[in-house]
């Protein structure tokens, strides 16, 4: 049973099952455990549609071999488990790091941070920060978080910074 | 060779950071960089890494073939949930663990069972939280900052409910049952019936019209005065039925003390885990920018308009912080003359602020004195207008306090802009001043009451000589104090209702259906969290101060806060837009609890002072004819067996308290020295980490060059 493998309660798993089966076309509903939902349908979920990190979330949790970022039911449960109320701060910060690592190279470099800030402020022309502001901001972030001064933020530095923020766990939460 | 390398990389190190990753394929093969260069089920890459990164006892290097035996003993006790892998991998490891299950000792199996039980209980508790769906809905629409306010309100409702049950269960319910069962209550004190201190009869005389009932309900006088609501009604008696003895006065005293201790313990418990993180860092550096960027997005937002608002708010906040930093750098370069002028300006404004506060406090003092002296000489109102006038006079302190709390913070807002502080400091300063105003106005009210009850502290004054307190104006002074607190509570609730109905709803109607100019100038109501929280803390402090004189006050406060929750939720969804500048939920949670603790500390003072120092009224209450309230406890201790009595006397004596204080001081100094050594250690480790980083880059470059 998947209950021991996730932070979700039995009730939450049942709700997740119901919501996932709404995304799956009717023909595949009886084989829901092997069905895969394409990314475009996943981002129509109300919990994800307003999220600027929706594509990164699908990418990180997808176990598809073909790289099309589709989610199976188990991937969906994994995602909900990490975003649940009961998940520990360590696992949340671990997955947050993976979500923010836009180029998937294992560290957050300047380009990743720039992408991250653009996602936060809204990625349209009128809403981005100016170049000088962006540079100053990234400089400040690296000064605060980059302990070994190599110009990038790795997982342990990220987790160290996140541990100082008590409301990270409550903001990194998606409840169906 | 070394010098060549130093020159090449010297400039890069001088800049402090690398401009880009050193161009070496070898770099990407290092274990520390290989952690996340995969996604999905390529968990084999993890195997090499988890050897170094092993939180919470994950065994070394599992996943590689040879070490499955090492996996054995610990697998069951580690929650599989906490492994950052996909489901398929977790299942594989559970199968491995189950193979080893037979080798586990019974201790480990019991541990695993305990963990499962704890998880189940935790999930059940999470689901039965009060108003959980409302809070999630608010969070989805308005973010965690405003949800923090409602969370705080829910906490206060629970706190008051438990307090009400405590006091009700030990004081009110026994009194009611004893009277209902008409049990024989033996009076504990010998009262001289003709003493001048005994003149107390609040029962209304003659024909009482219905509007007097309404006035009495609102001000706690008349028919409401001799009820279980106020202190004066309770008897100083002991009930002795078959083998069961219940001392009402002792129960009252202990219930009040326990209520205060319970509130203190609960609030401290709640704020301890907020204090552990975030505010205590080993080198004093606050990573504000990093936290705002990494923990900035609220993943619970579900509405697209709320998401757009959040984008704007994050951008606004980041821009403001960067601007503030730039202006701070500019300010640091000011000339001494400019700085001197700025400091004189700031001190002048501070004096002005103190003067404003002094004026407000003096008004409150005058209002209280006038109100109390008029009430003491009242006769039964014969006409409606006179009754209304009397109601107004009795509510005069509340009106003045509320008025001062509306007008003076506006003046603060104007003055603080002249002081040219950075924006975030402006907000903090205004907040501190508002908190001081709110709580100090309550203190002034209590002090002016005290001065009237004890004839300005002089026990030899004419009015206070016979009974120790002013028995002519205050035959039952505890009830009078309780009535004042009751009136403050009622007026607070009325004010909130009226403001919502008469200010917020019309504003929304005008702004959305009126002329566009008005909408632009005035704008929609913003839900200001700090101001609302201060209102809550003020109400709770009033409840605490009044709880020792008005046992049903916590219950009334619970009802008031429940009503307030629904009222505020209604006005939030119909009238408000989220604030432009988000309030960081974490620091504000700690700020709320800190101000609440301040309120609790202030409310301890009148309670303890009246228990230990003031003579209780002789005409009413469960402590009549005792020299002090604490005397009831002393008498009870005297009735205990020899050993217990000796223990209590020892604990209360100097011979115990002084060594205890010395021990605590020594412990404090030890902890401070420990913290200092830890922060030095952290600094050294950080330097070492930087050196290791440089070593790594150097070595990788050397290897690339050599190969």
């Amino acid at each position: 049973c998947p209950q021991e493998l996730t932070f979700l309660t039995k009730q939450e798993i049942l709700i997740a099952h119901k919501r996932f089966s709404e995304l799956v076309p009717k023909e595949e509903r009886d084989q829901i455990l092997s069905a895969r939902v394409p990314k475009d349908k996943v981002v129509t979920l109300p919990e994800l549609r307003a999220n600027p990190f929706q594509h990164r979330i699908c990418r990180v949790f997808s176990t598809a071999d073909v790289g099309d970022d589709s989610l199976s039911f188990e991937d969906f449960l994994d995602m909900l488990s990490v975003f649940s109320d009961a998940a520990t701060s360590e696992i949340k910060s671990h997955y947050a790091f993976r979500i923010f690592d836009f180029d998937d190279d294992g560290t957050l470099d300047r380009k990743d941070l720039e992408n991250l800030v653009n996602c936060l402020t809204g990625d349209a022309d009128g809403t981005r920060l100016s170049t000088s502001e962006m540079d100053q901001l990234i400089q400040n972030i690296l000064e605060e978080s980059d302990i070994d001064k190599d110009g990038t933020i790795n997982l342990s530095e990220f987790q160290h910074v996140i541990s100082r923020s008590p409301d990270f766990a409550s903001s990194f939460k998606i409840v169906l | 060779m070394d010098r060549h390398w130093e020159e090449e990389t010297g400039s890069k190190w001088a800049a402090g950071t690398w401009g880009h990753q050193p161009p070496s394929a070898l770099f990407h093969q290092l274990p520390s960089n290989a952690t996340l260069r995969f996604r999905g089920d390529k968990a084999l890459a993890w195997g090499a890494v988890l050897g170094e990164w092993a939180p919470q006892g994950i065994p070394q290097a599992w996943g590689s073939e040879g070490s499955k035996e090492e996996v054995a003993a610990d697998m069951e006790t580690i929650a599989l949930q906490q492994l950052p892998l996909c489901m398929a991998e977790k299942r594989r490891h559970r199968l491995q663990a189950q193979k080893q299950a037979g080798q586990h000792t019974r201790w480990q199996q019991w541990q695993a069972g305990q963990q499962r039980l704890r998880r189940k209980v935790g999930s059940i508790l999470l689901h039965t939280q009060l108003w959980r769906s409302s809070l999630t809905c608010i969070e989805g629409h308005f973010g965690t900052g405003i949800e923090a306010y409602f969370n705080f309100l829910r906490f206060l409702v629970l706190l008051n409910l438990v307090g009400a049950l405590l006091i009700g269960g030990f004081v009110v319910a026994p009194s009611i049952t004893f009277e209902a069962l008409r049990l024989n209550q033996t009076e504990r004190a010998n009262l001289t019936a003709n003493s001048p201190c005994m003149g107390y009869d609040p029962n209304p005389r003659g024909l009482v019209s219905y509007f007097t009932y309404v006035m009495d309900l609102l001000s706690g006088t008349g028919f409401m005065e001799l009820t279980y609501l106020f202190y004066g009604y309770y008897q100083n008696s002991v009930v002795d039925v078959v083998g069961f003895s219940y001392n009402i006065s002792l129960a009252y005293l202990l219930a009040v003390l326990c209520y205060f201790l319970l509130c203190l313990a609960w609030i401290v418990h709640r704020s301890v885990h907020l204090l552990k993180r975030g505010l205590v860092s080993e080198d004093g550096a606050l990573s504000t920018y990093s936290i705002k960027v990494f923990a900035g997005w609220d993943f619970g937002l579900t509405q697209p308009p709320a998401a757009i608002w959040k984008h704007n708010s994050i951008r606004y906040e980041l821009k403001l912080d960067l601007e503030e930093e730039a202006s701070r750098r500019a300010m640091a370069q000011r000339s001494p003359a400019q700085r001197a002028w700025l400091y004189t300006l700031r001190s002048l404004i501070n004096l002005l602020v103190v003067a404003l506060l002094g004026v407000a406090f003096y008004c409150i003092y005058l209002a209280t004195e006038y109100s109390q002296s008029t009430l003491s000489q009242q006769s039964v109102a014969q006409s409606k207008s006179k009754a209304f006038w009397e109601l107004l006079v009795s509510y005069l302190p509340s009106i003045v306090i509320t008025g001062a709390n509306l007008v003076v913070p506006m003046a603060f807002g104007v003055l603080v802009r002249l002081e040219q502080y950075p924006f975030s400091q402006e907000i903090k300063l205004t907040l501190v001043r508002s908190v001081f105003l709110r709580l100090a106005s309550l203190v002034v009210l209590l002090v002016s009451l005290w001065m009237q009850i004890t004839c300005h502290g002089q026990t030899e004054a004419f009015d206070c000589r016979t009974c120790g307190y002013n028995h002519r104006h205050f035959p039952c002074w505890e009830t009078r104090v309780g009535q004042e607190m009751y009136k403050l509570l009622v007026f607070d609730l009325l004010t909130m209702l009226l403001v919502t109905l008469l200010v917020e709803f019309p504003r929304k109607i005008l702004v959305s259906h009126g002329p566009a100019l008005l909408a632009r100038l005035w704008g929609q109501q913003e839900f200001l969290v700090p101001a609302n929280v201060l209102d809550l803390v003020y109400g709770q402090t009033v409840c605490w101060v009044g709880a020792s004189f008005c046992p049903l006050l916590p219950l009334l406060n619970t009802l008031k806060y429940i009503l307030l929750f629904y009222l505020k939720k209604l006005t939030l969804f119909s009238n408000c837009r989220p604030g432009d500048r988000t309030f960081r939920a974490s620091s504000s949670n700690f700020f709320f609890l800190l101000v609440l603790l301040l309120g609790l500390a202030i409310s301890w003072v009148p309670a303890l002072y009246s228990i230990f120092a003031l003579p209780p009224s002789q005409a009413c209450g469960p402590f009549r004819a005792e020299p002090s309230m604490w005397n009831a406890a002393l008498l009870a201790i005297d009735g205990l067996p020899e050993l217990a009595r000796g223990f209590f006397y020892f604990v209360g004596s100097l011979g115990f308290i002084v060594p205890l204080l010395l021990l605590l001081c020594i412990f404090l100094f030890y902890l401070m020295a420990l913290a200092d050594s830890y922060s030095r250690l952290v600094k050294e480790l950080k330097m070492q980490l930087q050196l290791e980083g440089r070593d790594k880059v150097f070595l990788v470059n050397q290897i690339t060059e050599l190969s």
Side-chain angles (χ1 to χ4, degrees):
Chain A
C1 71
Q3 197 182 340
E4 266 186 16
L5 300 174
T6 67
F7 287 100
L8 302 170
T9 63
K10 193 159 126 188
Q11 216 168 346
E12 289 170 344
I13 295 178
L14 289 173
I15 296 177
H17 185 266
K18 187 168 101 133
R19 299 290 294 277
F20 191 76
S21 54
E22 286 163 12
L23 293 175
V24 170
K26 275 211 173 68
E27 315 82 59
E28 300 179 34
R29 268 196 204 157
D30 41 354
Q31 290 169 359
I32 199 167
L33 287 177
S34 52
R36 297 200 84 94
V37 175
K39 182 161 75 168
D40 311 314
K41 292 205 91 178
V42 175
V43 302
T44 60
L45 277 174
E47 286 79 11
L48 286 182
R49 86 184 148 197
N51 200 319
F53 298 106
Q54 42 184 224
H55 299 288
R56 285 297 307 162
I57 291 176
C58 289
R59 164 75 69 102
V60 164
F61 287 98
S62 163
T63 53
D65 297 315
V66 291
D68 64 351
D69 298 343
S70 60
L71 293 186
S72 69
F73 182 59
E74 291 191 344
D75 298 337
F76 191 62
L77 283 185
D78 269 331
M79 181 186 88
L80 290 175
S81 162
V82 167
F83 281 108
S84 75
D85 224 341
T88 58
S89 181
E90 284 84 22
I91 201 167
K92 279 186 198 269
S93 56
H94 180 96
Y95 274 97
F97 186 76
R98 284 171 69 173
I99 290 175
F100 295 155
D101 188 11
F102 284 82
D103 49 11
D104 280 330
D105 66 351
T107 57
L108 298 181
D109 54 10
R110 290 193 82 100
K111 202 77 191 67
D112 288 327
L113 290 176
E114 223 176 281
N115 275 330
L116 175 59
V117 173
N118 281 334
C119 266
L120 285 178
T121 61
D123 211 357
D125 275 327
T127 57
R128 282 192 216 126
L129 294 181
S130 71
T131 336
S132 59
E133 285 171 342
M134 179 71 79
D135 285 337
Q136 179 67 39
L137 180 62
I138 293 183
Q139 173 89 354
N140 288 341
I141 293 176
L142 287 174
E143 230 174 80
E144 288 168 355
S145 316
D146 189 11
I147 301 180
D148 58 4
K149 304 281 179 256
D150 63 352
T152 65
I153 300 176
N154 61 25
L155 177 62
S156 33
E157 287 164 351
F158 182 80
Q159 283 183 318
H160 179 72
V161 168
I162 286 293
S163 70
R164 296 235 198 99
S165 157
D167 61 349
F168 169 72
S170 55
S171 65
F172 201 74
K173 193 161 60 164
I174 295 179
V175 177
L176 284 182
Chain B
M1 175 77 142
D2 286 335
R3 201 129 51 93
H4 172 65
W5 177 80
E6 282 273 348
E7 275 168 354
E8 204 179 48
T9 56
S11 57
K12 287 190 188 137
W13 286 121
T17 58
W18 285 104
H20 54 277
Q21 281 280 19
S24 167
L26 194 56
F27 235 99
H28 290 288
Q29 293 175 35
L30 288 174
S32 52
N33 274 353
T35 46
L36 304 153
R37 266 187 319 106
F38 64 92
R39 57 189 166 132
D41 58 351
K42 296 182 181 60
L44 287 174
W46 273 107
V49 167
L50 276 176
E52 297 103 42
W53 178 81
Q56 299 176 13
I58 294 181
Q60 308 291 321
W62 51 263
S64 59
E65 286 309 313
S67 56
K68 286 212 178 105
E69 296 79 29
E70 294 159 39
V71 171
D74 292 327
M75 261 327 244
E76 192 65 37
T77 51
I78 301 157
L80 282 166
Q81 309 156 337
Q82 292 178 14
L83 296 175
L85 300 173
C86 71
M87 196 80 80
E89 279 303 308
K90 285 191 234 180
R91 234 187 242 117
R92 186 147 56 93
H93 289 287
R94 184 169 64 175
L95 281 174
Q96 274 180 357
Q98 279 170 351
K99 272 190 225 158
Q100 317 290 339
Q103 300 176 12
H104 285 171
T105 62
R106 286 197 23 185
W107 169 247
Q108 281 156 342
Q109 281 175 351
W110 181 81
Q111 264 189 327
Q114 285 297 98
Q115 271 198 352
R116 267 194 290 264
L117 185 68
R118 233 177 294 153
R119 247 178 281 143
K120 237 183 246 174
V121 169
S123 68
I124 292 176
L125 280 179
L126 211 63
H127 267 279
T128 53
Q129 274 179 353
L130 183 67
W131 291 320
R132 189 163 180 256
S133 50
S134 301
L135 287 181
T136 327
C137 186
I138 291 172
E139 196 181 343
H141 280 84
F142 290 95
T144 44
I146 291 178
E147 188 251 354
Y149 166 80
F150 285 92
N151 211 344
F152 185 63
L153 183 52
R154 175 178 66 177
F155 165 66
L156 284 181
V157 165
L158 288 174
L159 185 70
N160 279 307
L161 187 66
V162 171
L165 284 175
L166 180 72
I167 292 190
F170 284 102
V171 175
V172 183
S175 297
I176 296 178
T177 26
F178 295 156
E179 213 169 286
L181 295 176
R182 272 184 266 264
L183 292 174
N184 198 7
Q185 305 191 38
T186 44
E187 293 284 324
R188 285 194 50 240
N190 299 326
L191 305 163
T192 47
N194 287 330
S195 154
C197 310
M198 295 293 293
Y200 177 61
D201 187 13
N203 287 319
R205 261 177 261 279
L207 206 60
V208 180
S209 39
Y210 91 95
F211 58 80
T212 320
Y213 274 123
V214 175
M215 302 301 160
D216 283 341
L217 185 71
L218 287 176
S219 55
T221 47
F223 79 95
M224 294 237 349
E225 197 163 329
L226 272 186
T227 55
Y228 287 106
L229 182 61
F230 291 113
Y231 168 100
Y233 187 65
Y234 293 89
Q235 310 277 343
N236 184 1
S237 56
V238 180
V239 172
D240 262 315
V241 192
V242 195
F244 169 74
S245 159
Y246 199 84
N247 187 344
I248 295 278
S249 47
L250 186 65
Y252 193 98
L253 184 69
L254 289 180
V256 166
L257 286 176
C258 284
Y259 171 61
F260 280 115
L261 284 173
L262 173 76
C263 291
L264 180 69
W266 199 343
I267 296 174
V268 166
H269 164 77
R270 198 176 153 95
S271 49
V272 145
H273 68 266
L274 282 177
L275 184 60
K276 259 195 249 174
R277 312 193 201 173
L279 286 155
V280 181
S281 69
E282 63 283 342
D283 54 358
L286 297 170
S287 359
T288 41
Y289 286 104
S290 315
I291 291 182
K292 277 187 186 157
V293 166
F294 293 144
W297 185 259
D298 194 348
F299 281 72
L301 286 176
T302 52
Q303 310 292 322
I308 294 176
W309 159 74
K310 185 81 181 175
H311 283 306
N312 290 340
S313 133
I314 290 181
R315 183 179 64 250
Y316 182 70
E317 203 174 331
L318 287 173
K319 281 198 171 177
L320 216 59
D321 282 340
L322 289 168
E323 260 175 46
E324 213 175 285
E325 194 188 328
S327 76
R328 222 188 281 251
R329 258 178 285 154
M331 279 202 230
Q333 292 164 0
R334 274 206 211 108
S335 66
Q338 279 179 321
R339 239 182 274 197
W341 185 76
L342 189 65
Y343 287 153
T344 37
L345 181 67
R346 282 184 188 167
S347 40
L348 275 176
I349 292 185
N350 274 316
L351 281 176
L352 195 60
V353 162
V354 168
L356 266 178
L357 286 173
V359 165
F361 294 156
Y362 190 61
C363 288
I364 295 172
Y365 170 70
L366 283 179
T368 315
E369 238 186 313
Y370 178 68
S371 156
Q372 287 297 326
S373 51
T374 323
L375 281 181
S376 315
Q377 294 148 12
Q378 71 171 0
S379 52
V380 176
Q382 292 304 329
S383 67
K384 213 174 186 174
S385 57
K386 194 153 183 286
F388 189 68
W389 169 247
E390 271 184 23
L391 187 71
L392 210 64
V393 166
S394 66
Y395 266 92
L396 197 62
S398 327
I399 296 174
V400 173
I401 288 181
T402 312
N405 280 311
L406 279 175
V407 168
V408 180
M410 286 199 266
F412 285 163
V414 167
L415 284 175
V416 85
R417 244 167 272 157
L418 296 172
E419 283 175 302
Q420 294 177 26
Y421 281 113
F423 191 63
S424 58
Q425 257 185 299
E426 249 182 43
I427 295 184
K428 280 188 201 150
L429 194 61
T430 321
L431 211 54
V432 164
R433 287 178 179 158
S434 309
V435 166
F436 182 70
L437 172 68
R438 275 239 167 210
L439 295 178
S441 45
L442 196 58
V443 170
V444 167
L445 174 69
L446 290 171
V447 165
S448 51
L449 273 177
W450 170 79
M451 291 202 331
Q452 287 174 14
I453 291 172
T454 57
C455 313
H456 297 259
Q458 304 156 0
T459 40
E460 291 309 307
F462 175 68
D463 283 329
C464 299
R465 212 178 301 152
T466 23
C467 311
Y469 57 92
N470 193 343
H471 65 275
R472 275 198 299 127
H473 289 168
F474 299 96
C476 191
W477 62 265
E478 295 96 341
T479 305
R480 190 66 71 81
V481 176
Q483 281 169 343
E484 281 300 322
M485 296 301 126
Y486 173 75
K487 281 186 271 192
L488 282 178
L489 188 129
V490 169
F491 193 69
D492 197 31
L493 181 64
L494 279 176
T495 317
M496 286 198 211
L497 275 171
L498 286 175
V499 163
T500 315
L501 284 174
L502 298 180
V503 175
E504 296 187 5
F505 274 100
R507 178 172 175 172
K508 170 73 191 277
I509 294 174
L510 277 176
V511 162
S512 39
H513 300 296
L517 186 66
L518 195 65
R520 220 170 348 115
L521 280 180
W522 202 10
Q524 227 181 334
Q525 176 87 24
E526 203 180 297
F527 193 87
L528 290 169
V529 171
N532 279 301
V533 165
L534 279 185
D535 282 337
L536 285 183
V537 170
Y538 169 76
Q540 185 60 49
T541 312
V542 163
C543 172
W544 276 326
V545 171
S548 35
F549 306 114
C550 177
L552 288 181
L553 207 59
L555 184 67
L556 291 175
N557 215 27
T558 314
L559 296 171
K560 172 185 165 195
Y561 279 163
I562 291 178
L563 187 66
L564 202 66
F565 185 90
Y566 289 111
L567 187 72
K568 287 288 171 184
K569 190 171 152 211
L570 179 70
T571 185
L572 181 71
F573 279 105
S574 354
N575 302 339
C576 295
R577 63 177 170 86
D580 274 332
R581 196 172 159 105
T582 51
F583 220 64
R584 301 296 311 174
S586 64
S587 60
S588 46
N589 265 326
F590 181 70
F591 163 74
F592 301 165
L593 289 170
L594 194 66
V595 178
L596 196 63
L597 273 178
L598 195 63
L600 183 64
I602 288 178
S603 58
W604 274 86
V605 172
L608 289 180
Y609 187 69
S610 45
I611 288 177
F612 287 99
L614 284 179
S617 310
Q618 296 188 11
C620 60
F623 298 102
R624 49 190 102 178
E626 309 252 7
S628 76
M629 292 193 202
W630 184 243
N631 208 40
L634 287 177
L635 286 175
I637 290 177
D638 279 337
L640 286 174
E642 183 77 38
L643 192 62
R645 205 186 330 157
F647 173 71
F648 276 115
Y649 278 138
F650 173 65
V651 164
S653 68
L654 270 178
F656 175 74
I657 290 185
V658 170
L660 185 70
L661 277 176
L662 279 178
L663 212 63
L664 284 175
C665 283
I666 293 174
F667 190 56
L668 192 69
F669 281 128
Y670 165 70
L671 285 178
M672 278 166 58
L674 198 65
D676 193 41
S677 74
Y678 279 152
S679 82
R680 256 182 291 133
L681 183 66
V682 164
K683 282 199 193 100
E684 286 171 20
L685 285 175
K686 277 195 180 164
M687 293 301 306
Q688 205 169 4
L689 211 54
Q690 286 185 33
L691 279 175
E692 296 290 325
R694 282 195 222 171
D695 279 350
K696 179 173 74 173
V697 167
F698 173 74
L699 287 172
V700 166
N701 282 339
Q702 290 287 68
I703 291 174
T704 333
E705 272 180 42
L706 289 173
S707 60

